[in-house]
Amino acid sequence: MKSAVIVFPGSNCDRDAARALHRITGTPAAMVWHKDASLPDGTDLVVLPGGFSYGDYLRSGAMAAKSPIVRDVVAHAERGGLVLGICNGFQVLTETRLLPGALARNAGLKFSCKEVPLAIANVNTAFTRAYRETRETEIPIAHGDGRFVADEETLDRIEGEGQVIFRYLANPNGSDRDIAGVMNARGNVMGMMPHPERASDPALGRTGGTAVFQSLLEAA
C-alpha cells in the first residue's frame, strides 16, 4: 500500500501517523506539504493527521481545507481513493464536505485528553474489517472541538446507511448519538476523533487502533 500523510502548519501527529503506517504496512509513508499541488503518483491512502492546523483560527480545519494539496485529496477521494482523517483531519474533511456533519466545541468547553472505550458500529468497511472479532476497542482522544453535530435528518440518514463507524461507549464531548467516527456514502473516506496512531504500538502499551491500519492495508 502506498500512503501519504498531509502536513499542515500546526500538525502534530503527522509523524505518529507515518510511523504507524510504516510499522503495519512495511512501506514508508510520503510526507506531503500542504502547499504541494498534487499527491505522489500511485497513492492508495491519504491520511489527514491530528493537530492544530493554522492554529485552529476561524474554525478548526477551515483554513487547512483551502490548502492547495486538499484539492488533490478531494480529487483522490472522488476517484475512489482511500482517505482517513484523524481528529483535526476529521475536521478538515467536514469542512471540504467530503464527510457530513461538523465538529463543534466540546460540551464541557474544555480540552479532553484520555483513553475512551469505543464500539465499532460497522465492521464491514475498509477501515474496520480487522475489528470483526472484537467489536469494541479503546483509543485515546485529544481535542477541544470534537463534538460531532448534524441535523436530525442527516443523523437518521447516516445511521440508516451504515455510515456511523465508531461510537463512544462513554461520551466524552457531547457528540450527537455518541458518534466518534463516520464515513462517506461511498465508503472510501472516514473521519474519526480518537487517535488510532497513538494506540498501534505494543511498546506504548496500546494497540486498540492497530486494526484501523490493518483494515486499510487489506482494503488496498
Side-chain angles (χ1 to χ4, degrees), residues 120-137:
I120 296 85
N122 185 349
V123 296
N124 297 311
T125 79
F127 305 91
T128 56
R129 61 182 65 186
Y131 282 111
R132 287 187 178 127
E133 302 301 319
T134 58
R135 302 300 180 98
E136 292 184 8
T137 190

Side-chain angles (χ1 to χ4, degrees), residues 71-123:
R71 288 192 290 270
D72 202 40
V73 173
V74 172
H76 172 79
E78 291 174 344
R79 292 192 297 268
L82 294 166
V83 180
L84 171 63
I86 302 169
C87 197
N88 186 234
F90 187 5
Q91 295 161 345
V92 174
L93 291 175
T94 61
E95 290 289 339
T96 62
R97 309 316 303 164
L98 283 173
L99 289 177
L103 283 308
R105 192 70 179 159
N106 292 351
L109 302 181
K110 293 182 179 180
F111 187 88
S112 183
C113 182
K114 60 183 178 180
E115 299 273 351
V116 295
L118 300 170
I120 296 85
N122 185 349
V123 296

Side-chain angles (χ1 to χ4, degrees), residues 113-120 131 134-141 166-170 172 180 192-201 204-213:
C113 182
K114 60 183 178 180
E115 299 273 351
V116 295
L118 300 170
I120 296 85
Y131 282 111
T134 58
R135 302 300 180 98
E136 292 184 8
T137 190
E138 192 171 85
I139 300 176
I141 59 168
F166 290 101
R167 203 183 301 273
Y168 297 113
L169 292 175
M192 60 187 297
M193 288 311 296
H195 286 264
E197 78 285 2
R198 297 186 183 182
S200 61
D201 188 344
L204 299 178
R206 297 170 173 166
T207 57
T210 303
V212 172
F213 302 105

